[in-house]
Amino acid sequence: MEVTSIQNGIIIDHVPAGTALKVLEYLKIDPAKTKLALIMNTDSHLYGSKDIIKIEDRDGEDNPAIDLDVLGLVARTATVGIVRGGTIVEKKTPTLPEHVVNILTCRNPRCVTTTERGIDQMFHLTHSGRQEYRCDYCDEEAKL
């Protein structure tokens, strides 16, 4: 199988194997409207296997770059390469965000965010080793 290089865009590498579709969903990238290549369960010297997402033309004003906080939440091991003119010009590593807004959803049926409309879903990091987030309103643990 051959996947050609991209000229301008983003390469999300070292995505945990089998999670590329989940990453696209959390990043709100619609595969039907985006020029991308999805490489799943490929060999990795570091992790054994990994996924790679190549997104063409995703660094301009019409298509803003991806949210590193969201990526850090769903794929901590991922790296982001910014490609211009067929060359990686910048590499970024997402970190686990301390606070996230409207990415996770509280599953507590009595939480104000599930009973009232228009309230932001806000979560804070309580334990980075376990990647544990809790709702700012009811302290319910979030599930990814």
Side-chain angles (χ1 to χ4, degrees):
M1 176 171 72
E2 182 180 336
V3 178
T4 60
S5 61
I6 61 175
Q7 291 301 307
N8 296 301
I10 294 174
I11 298 173
I12 306 171
D13 198 1
H14 305 294
V15 176
T19 63
L21 293 174
K22 179 180 170 184
V23 169
L24 289 175
E25 178 184 334
Y26 272 93
L27 291 173
K28 295 180 172 75
I29 296 173
D30 184 359
K33 297 178 180 176
T34 307
K35 193 175 184 182
L36 62 85
L38 209 57
I39 304 162
M40 299 183 74
N41 294 313
T42 190
D43 293 332
S44 168
H45 297 294
L46 195 58
Y47 301 107
S49 63
K50 66 180 179 179
D51 291 354
I52 303 170
I53 304 168
K54 293 183 174 187
I55 306 170
E56 185 79 37
D57 298 325
R58 185 81 183 185
D59 61 350
E61 290 180 17
D62 295 335
N63 292 308
I66 58 159
D67 187 340
L68 288 176
D69 284 344
V70 174
L71 189 59
L73 182 67
V74 296
R76 289 177 68 178
T77 59
T79 58
V80 178
I82 309 297
V83 179
R84 291 196 184 97
T87 305
I88 295 176
V89 295
E90 184 179 357
K91 275 199 172 190
K92 297 180 180 183
T93 304
T95 58
L96 199 58
E98 291 291 324
H99 197 256
V100 293
V101 179
N102 294 330
I103 297 170
L104 302 172
T105 304
C106 187
R107 58 190 178 111
N108 178 356
R110 290 178 287 210
C111 180
V112 67
T113 62
T114 57
T115 59
E116 300 289 329
R117 291 184 178 209
I119 297 177
D120 287 335
Q121 298 271 338
M122 298 189 302
F123 290 82
H124 58 278
L125 181 65
T126 56
H127 193 282
S128 61
R130 292 192 311 254
Q131 195 171 342
E132 180 180 302
Y133 284 87
R134 293 200 170 266
C135 178
D136 284 358
Y137 300 101
C138 70
D139 207 39
E140 180 76 21
E141 184 178 349
K143 296 291 182 198
L144 289 175

